[in-house]
Amino acid sequence: MLRFLIKFLLLVIVLVAITMLTAQWKLEKDVNSFARVIAPFADFKYESARIGLSGEVKLNSISVYIHSLSTSVEIGELRLFVGSLYDLAFFESNVRHNKLPENAHLILQDVLVPFNSSLLRALENNQTPDSFDLLSAAYCGDIDRIGIQEMESMGYDYLAFSSKEFYMLDKYSGSVVLNGSVDIEELLNLEYQVNIGGVLGWIESMEERAIGQNQPDIISPNLSLLELRIKDQGYNLKKAEYCAAKENVSTDEYYAGHEKKVHEMMSKSGIDMKESFKQAYLNFIKPESALLWFIQPKASFDFEGLKYYTFDELRSEVGLRVAVDGEPVTEFFDGWTPENFSDIANKELVQRAEKDPTKSRYKMVTVTRSYQNVIISRAEQYIDFKVRATRDDGMVYEGKLKKTSPKSLWITLRKQKGEVVIPLARTQIVKFEVYKEDRKTEE
């Protein structure tokens, strides 16, 4: 009997070792395959990849160089869990068949995103500012929003953060729970929880419609709870010093001037800030403030009808609770409606235009899509793009570029009975075009 148990134990150890080696081999194969897929856009490198008995995947010392932005994103450690080794093996297949994992997590440690001119240009917002933008930038010189350029001027040369994201599926209620935290160095710490109800019912209704069953309406998921906890970790002070310098005042004078300007802008649109809210807002914009924002909408609440609610009605329907530095905010506004809030931007922009009518403040960016000639030697950079290839016999093939090789291109063509992939010899292609965006900026 003892000999049998020893043999059985040795067999289990061997099977576990084989399973781990197979899982490790597949992990490295999948990571390298991912690196090849994104190679036209980014260089993905990592120091090591490991998978544990629990099924958790760990990648260490990741570097992602994004070609278009000339930026290298560094990640100290990435940890991913979507279930056991068995669940991980079939994760991709399960997702394709709308089978959600019961729980999962994604943990990123020591992520570093350095700012450079290419990244700043890419993230620059040239759209007309809305009311929220203008209120955030109130009493801050002549700027109309706090964007990435302004943050660089405040002294942010990079973005460094760590995050923990957790997911759980409640099969009994059919809802999904998301919670986690994001800790951004010298900026803020965010903790959140999101409950989304009706997810399984939504998937089921989609599947029934896909197979032709009588399903008149798709059952949409609904937000059942949202809780945010935001702790300032340096942003409020940097913003105060930046704006105070633009207004040539002290930081204390900036806080008072900003609150006064916000109240003035809202009053012009018929919104009156209550005194207790003014004090809460002052506390919120100061260093090391802590904000709690919680909603739990009623089952009867319809987000599509948001614009028809007054603030008090909206607060009641969504169960809004707010606290600043642990003190509940019980009074907010008089006269607030979505239309009035949107009108803040209209009135402020008209007033600024009247003061300086000759100044062109915004740029118009026109985005068009068209076929553009591309050197065929660069075809591998446009996998999954819509392309058009003209052969030397005059035949034109239009479809999605599936893959390439040194001698051929494979293009997916859409036919009446489905899709077909055909190979085209590079030597026979006289013209190769890619369907791409073209951006034109006008003052």
Side-chain angles (χ1 to χ4, degrees), residues 179-182 189-193 227-231:
N179 64 74
S181 64
V182 182
N189 177 274
L190 167 67
E191 297 179 358
Y192 68 89
Q193 178 173 330
E227 179 178 339
L228 302 176
R229 294 179 180 270
I230 303 173
K231 172 72 175 178

Side-chain angles (χ1 to χ4, degrees), residues 371 382 384-388 398-401 433-435:
Y371 277 109
Y382 299 99
D384 290 333
F385 274 64
K386 186 178 177 181
V387 300
R388 187 164 62 192
E398 186 173 353
K400 183 181 290 187
L401 184 61
E433 301 168 279
V434 178
Y435 196 66

Side-chain angles (χ1 to χ4, degrees), residues 23-25 27-29 31-32 44 46-52 56-62 78:
Q24 181 69 32
W25 171 81
L27 170 63
E28 293 180 358
K29 182 174 178 291
V31 174
N32 291 334
F44 181 90
Y46 64 99
E47 184 177 283
S48 63
R50 295 286 183 271
I51 185 167
E56 184 182 60
V57 172
K58 292 184 181 180
L59 272 68
N60 293 313
S61 301
I62 301 170
L78 180 152

